[in-house]
Amino acid sequence: MRIFLLVAILCAAPLARAQQSPNVIYIYADDLGYGDVSCYGATKISTPHIDKLAKQGIRFTNAHSTSATCTPSRYALMTGQYPWRKSGTHILPGDAALIIPTDKTTLPKLFKKAGYTTAIVGKWHLGLGDQVEKNWNEAIKPGPNEVGFDYSFIFPATADRVPTVFMENHTVVALDPADPIAVDYENKVGNDPTGKEHPELLKMQSSPGHGHNNTIVNGIGRIGYMSGGHKARWVDEEVSTTFLAKAKDFIEANQRQPFFLYFALTEPHVPRMPATMFKGKSDLGYRGDAILQLDWTVGEIMKQLEALGIAKNTMIIFTSDNGPVLDDGYQDEAVTKRNGHTPAGPLRGGKYSTFEGGTRVPFIIRWPGKVKPQVSDALVCQVDMLASFSELLNQTIPEGDAPDSENLLNTFMGKAQKGRSALVEQGGTLAIVKGNLKYISPSNGASYNKLTDIETGNAPGPQLYNLREDIGEENNLASQYPERVKEMAAELESIKAGKR
Ligand code: NG6
Ligand code: CA
């Protein structure tokens, strides 16, 4: 009996100590714009659950992803390094190799070192294995589990890219040895019809000029070719609810110990194919319906935390990996049923753009009792998560790791207003924001993308905007303030060269 008591005390002690640290759930929407949720001003769509988070927490008005697309933003979140410092961090195909170094500090590794159980549920898009050629019918390493996640339930790339399968830890879910999976991004594999050959088989047509017309899965043409794995292929309408179920399982299983959950949702990225119960709910087409499903999903997580009695000790961070796009490859009525909705709010540009619409995103932190409800205008970035959590978790970052991450814990907790002194934004070209000013470096790329109907921010000359007076970046001040242009350009060069 005495021995039993001793064992019980020894076991309970670290648990009690560890429980002072909050659980952290980082909810990452995919392509959700600054104006896509009602707490950021949307009037054509209502997002009550996300609004509730904002009301009970801190809502940032000047928070950014590092980049205007997915892979680089996610790379920065994981590593604390600006993605443009490393080649190969552009939008990855579904068969890419892992691009995150396994020997460097990552956000989940930080939590692990602090005694947390860590998981990713959702979209990965950072590559798998150590080369492009891989056997999808065996365990694939390295991946999320090798960069800090104890548990992973993911899809490899994007919802519009093959392979359209879930992976649990290292293996594809529902593998069938009699129907092996092959994936190819250059040449057709197997006999499954493609959207190009058989548009009559599609339940949602691709947009002309975008591609998205290779292998058809669930009536939707994808980017890339795949054969086999017919039982493993997801049904798009079930993707989001599958992720939600896995996230809830993880939370329930770990409710008594500190956990970090990276919940990377797929909404409202294309192909938008919400669960049937959400189809037609928004009046804005499937894109709006997908946003309603995203909001509902956030609400389901909040409800679960309440039911388990851990809402108070759980920090929820809600944000998006880049700005919005309406037509990103499918004729899903996002454009025709836009109905006056402004997905980027007052911002210019959107996904892919160096204008603010590319990287300025909704960003909310709720930690009941610890973070006082408020709105913050501080300039913050997702790349700062790593250094800020290193402070909260009392972990040191080895020299050289996470070089671009700034410790803004007090700002994230609403105790300070101080943001970054400078932020580099990555769209088609690089921009730097410092105080009220934003400088966009010259670029010869097209200034307008006809396919997506988005202004890229590219211009052959320098651009300078005063974001405080001109959040819509309409008035280029470069010729009026040549000295300022010079200073900002020099500062950008110095950050690029690695000096701060
Ligand atoms: C683009 C795709 C787009 C989307 C995007 C990735 C074309 C023409 N467009 O290349 O549909 O998949 O990549 O989005 O192929 S992201 O949010 O993951 O960065
Ligand atoms: Ca994205």
Side-chain angles (χ1 to χ4, degrees), residues 29-32 68-71 74 123 125 158 269 320-323 351:
D30 194 0
D31 297 3
L32 185 76
T69 54
C70 173
T71 300
R74 285 159 204 255
K123 170 176 175 169
H125 212 187
T158 60
H269 193 282
S320 172
D321 66 340
N322 53 253
K351 183 176 182 178

Side-chain angles (χ1 to χ4, degrees), residues 110 385-397 407:
L110 203 70
M385 288 284 103
L386 209 153
S388 304
F389 275 113
S390 83
E391 167 87 12
L392 183 78
L393 302 171
N394 210 5
Q395 299 293 315
T396 49
I397 301 174
N407 173 6

Side-chain angles (χ1 to χ4, degrees), residues 49 100 143 147 164 251 260 328 348 352 364 368 379 402:
H49 301 292
I100 298 181
V147 300
T164 52
I251 292 169
F260 169 61
D328 210 15
R348 190 170 176 182
Y352 310 110
I364 298 163
L379 176 68

Side-chain angles (χ1 to χ4, degrees), residues 61 73 107 115 124 136 160 201 203 216 226 265 276 321 372 383 386 405 429 445 455 468 487:
T61 61
S73 293
L107 187 62
W124 178 235
W136 290 94
D160 55 359
L201 298 178
K203 66 178 173 193
I216 299 175
M226 131 174 225
L265 305 172
T276 307
D321 66 340
K372 285 208 193 91
V383 77
L386 209 153
S405 190
T429 182
E455 291 184 291
R468 184 157 298 266
E487 278 165 32

Side-chain angles (χ1 to χ4, degrees), residues 172-194:
V172 170
V173 175
L175 269 178
D176 176 3
D179 186 27
I181 296 172
V183 171
D184 201 307
Y185 270 75
E186 306 268 300
N187 303 301
K188 184 175 170 180
V189 284
N191 297 318
D192 285 291
T194 65

Side-chain angles (χ1 to χ4, degrees), residues 238-292:
E238 292 174 1
V239 167
S240 195
T241 43
T242 304
F243 285 153
L244 175 61
K246 292 293 169 184
K248 287 175 74 173
D249 286 352
F250 174 79
I251 292 169
E252 178 154 13
N254 291 282
Q255 58 180 294
R256 286 187 189 86
Q257 65 202 55
F259 64 81
F260 169 61
L261 170 63
Y262 172 35
F263 191 21
L265 305 172
T266 180
E267 292 93 4
H269 193 282
V270 296
R272 296 143 189 155
M273 193 50 66
T276 307
M277 64 176 167
F278 289 98
K279 286 180 179 168
K281 253 194 131 176
S282 71
D283 289 335
L284 300 180
Y286 283 175
R287 184 174 188 277
D289 301 344
I291 292 173
L292 292 186

